[in-house]
Amino acid sequence: AMHKPIGVTCSRKDQGELVYDLFPERWQKRDPGIATVGRLDKDTSGLLLLTDDGALLHRISSPKKAIVKRYLATLARPLEGGEEQVFASGSLMLEGEDKPLLPARLEVHSSTSATVSVSEGRYHQVRRMFAAVGNHVNALHRISIGGLALPADLAPGHYRELTTEELSAIFET
């Protein structure tokens, strides 16, 4: 588990600092190599899982498993009040796509802060969901994957191996 900081990219191909650069060189040369379980964009912080176990990676990221990811979003404009129903409807379409999103849960904390729970992992999904309802995400932070919350002992840029219990928690809802 890593607390991915803002400004770091999850791809091996992009320019700039990569999450892989945050690991010791010996980890970067592992065979099999470590890979991110899904991605967080450069401007998103929070819980990122990495593994060298391909079966585990697939088990966590497979759409068929529908593991819920939770994000704390800070918005540019106040929510209008209908977003919870739109996100939960299962009919929200993202620009450039021809298939609606699966239902998502929106928990409003304030007029410009909410937690979004999604079981899909489409490209920039949470940011695009808010754009579809006329808002903009100023800050996005992944707080959990399945039943695993971002470990409190992880500062941005730090990582540690998960315990057996924490790994199991991913698959609990």
Side-chain angles (χ1 to χ4, degrees), residues 13-162:
K13 300 174 186 171
D14 290 339
Q15 298 296 318
E17 188 175 16
L18 309 177
V19 294
Y20 303 101
D21 297 336
L22 300 174
F23 289 96
E25 188 174 335
R26 64 184 167 78
W27 279 47
Q28 296 175 36
K29 295 180 178 181
R30 291 176 64 156
D31 187 20
I34 56 171
T36 62
V37 180
R39 291 185 179 178
L40 292 176
D41 67 46
K42 186 176 186 174
D43 298 320
T44 300
S45 63
L47 180 59
L48 179 66
L49 300 178
L50 298 101
T51 184
D52 63 359
D53 181 337
L56 177 64
L57 188 149
H58 178 73
R59 184 173 171 213
I60 297 170
S61 61
S62 172
K64 292 180 182 179
K65 299 296 181 187
I67 293 178
V68 173
K69 281 87 53 194
R70 294 180 66 227
Y71 299 84
L72 178 60
T74 304
L75 306 169
R77 291 188 298 287
L79 292 163
E80 294 182 1
E83 294 89 350
E84 286 179 77
Q85 293 77 19
V86 172
F87 286 9
S89 71
S91 61
L92 181 63
M93 295 290 291
L94 297 180
E95 185 176 328
E97 296 197 15
D98 57 4
K99 183 180 175 188
L101 292 172
L102 293 175
R105 183 168 184 233
L106 181 69
E107 301 168 58
V108 177
H109 304 296
S110 73
S111 63
T112 58
S113 175
T115 299
V116 182
S117 301
V118 298
S119 59
E120 293 179 282
R122 297 193 197 181
Y123 180 75
H124 294 270
Q125 181 175 342
V126 174
R127 293 179 188 280
R128 293 170 65 208
M129 288 169 70
F130 280 106
V133 295
N135 212 325
H136 175 78
V137 174
N138 283 341
L140 192 60
H141 180 77
R142 182 156 59 196
I143 56 178
S144 67
I145 298 173
L148 176 67
L150 176 64
D153 63 343
L154 282 183
H158 292 132
Y159 59 90
R160 69 169 172 78
E161 289 189 37
L162 294 175

